[in-house]
């Protein structure tokens, strides 16, 4: 049945009367306040328990795996830094399809010709040359999108474009960035270790309001 305004007014009045009764009776008021506090603490403890479970997972699995992975990346990166320093030259030198070029323009022109051999299927790859001790490889992502890969212990990538000289510049830049990427990896490792230590310090701390429950 459809409720009338009079019904609603009566409901509001009953609630107001109950509230007045509750606040006027100290026992009812105290019980309501106690129940509300218990509910609040129960929610806080559930949040604390969830955080403890998350910390347990991170301490026993997440951080050890991330740190081990980052240490392996750093070892590879440092080998690549050594390779780059050993093979870089003051003047430009790049090998394309077995031919050594000292001029960027000629290397760029030959690179574009060799790139035509790359298969059309997604994931097709083609080794096209060498720069500062690193293999230069083209990999088709999908359609006409092709990536440049500079391959050592690590894999450094940029998009292969329509500009002949632009592609040579991308290869050179990839090699030059290896040292800065190694420094960034070491910073990331330090940060992971700090987070790991903080998680171990926080894990196992008791719920501060346990005695009030």
């Amino acid at each position: 049945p459809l409720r009338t305004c009079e019904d609603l007014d009566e409901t509001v009045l009953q609630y107001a009367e109950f509230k007045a009764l509750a606040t006027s009776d100290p026992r009812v008021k105290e019980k309501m306040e106690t129940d509300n506090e218990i509910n609040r603490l129960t929610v806080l403890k559930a949040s604390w328990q969830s955080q403890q479970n998350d910390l347990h997972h991170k301490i026993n699995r997440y951080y050890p795996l991330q740190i081990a992975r980052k240490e392996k990346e750093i070892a590879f990166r440092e080998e690549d830094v050594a390779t780059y320093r050993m093979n870089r030259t003051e003047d430009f030198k790049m090998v394309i399809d077995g031919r050594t070029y000292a001029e960027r323009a000629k290397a760029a022109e030959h690179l574009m010709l060799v790139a035509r051999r790359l298969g059309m299927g997604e994931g097709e790859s083609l080794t096209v040359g060498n720069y500062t001790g690193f293999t230069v490889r083209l990999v088709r992502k999908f359609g006409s999108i092709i990536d440049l890969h500079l391959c050592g212990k690590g894999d450094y990538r940029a998009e292969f474009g329509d500009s002949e000289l632009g592609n040579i510049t991308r290869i050179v830049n990839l090699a030059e960035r290896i040292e800065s990427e190694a420094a960034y990896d070491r910073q990331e490792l330090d940060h992971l270790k700090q987070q790991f230590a903080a998680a171990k310090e926080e894990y196992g701390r008791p719920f501060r309001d346990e005695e009030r429950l």
Side-chain angles (χ1 to χ4, degrees), residues 47-115:
S47 176
W48 167 84
Q49 187 61 61
S50 177
Q51 182 188 46
Q52 289 293 304
N53 292 341
D54 183 55
L55 287 171
H56 182 270
H57 166 74
K58 287 182 175 178
I59 289 169
N60 290 281
R61 183 166 180 82
Y62 176 77
Y63 285 125
L65 285 175
Q66 291 297 313
I67 288 172
R69 183 178 295 117
K70 185 56 64 177
E71 288 175 337
K72 186 176 181 179
E73 288 177 6
I74 289 172
F76 285 163
R77 197 87 72 190
E78 287 177 347
E79 287 191 48
D80 286 343
V81 168
T83 297
Y84 174 68
R85 289 175 177 173
M86 185 183 302
N87 292 281
R88 66 183 173 185
T89 56
E90 190 171 331
D91 298 322
F92 174 80
K93 185 174 72 172
M94 185 178 291
V95 177
I96 300 295
D97 197 26
R99 299 181 188 177
T100 301
Y101 290 93
E103 297 179 32
R104 293 188 181 217
K106 290 184 178 180
E109 182 180 355
H110 194 180
L111 176 59
M112 293 301 279
L113 289 174
V114 174

Side-chain angles (χ1 to χ4, degrees), residues 1 11 16 40-41 62 83 93 98 111 116 121 135 154 156 169 173 183 196 205-206:
T11 300
R40 186 183 73 85
L41 292 174
Y62 176 77
T83 297
K93 185 174 72 172
L111 176 59
R116 296 176 183 175
T135 299
Y156 311 92
T169 299
N173 289 343
F196 190 23
R205 286 187 177 180

Side-chain angles (χ1 to χ4, degrees), residues 3 22 71 95 139 144 169 181 193 198:
R3 299 184 68 183
E71 288 175 337
V95 177
V139 178
S144 61
T169 299
E181 290 189 17
K193 288 181 176 179

Side-chain angles (χ1 to χ4, degrees), residues 124-143:
E124 293 273 4
S125 66
L126 177 69
T127 298
V128 295
N130 186 284
Y131 180 67
T132 61
F134 296 90
T135 299
V136 180
R137 186 172 290 129
L138 299 180
V139 178
R140 189 176 299 281
K141 294 178 69 175
F142 50 86

Side-chain angles (χ1 to χ4, degrees), residues 7 10 34 36 56 58 63 100 121 135-136 157 190 195 197 199:
D7 293 333
E10 184 178 351
T34 300
N36 288 337
H56 182 270
K58 287 182 175 178
Y63 285 125
T100 301
T135 299
V136 180
R157 306 178 186 184
D190 287 342
Q195 290 179 314

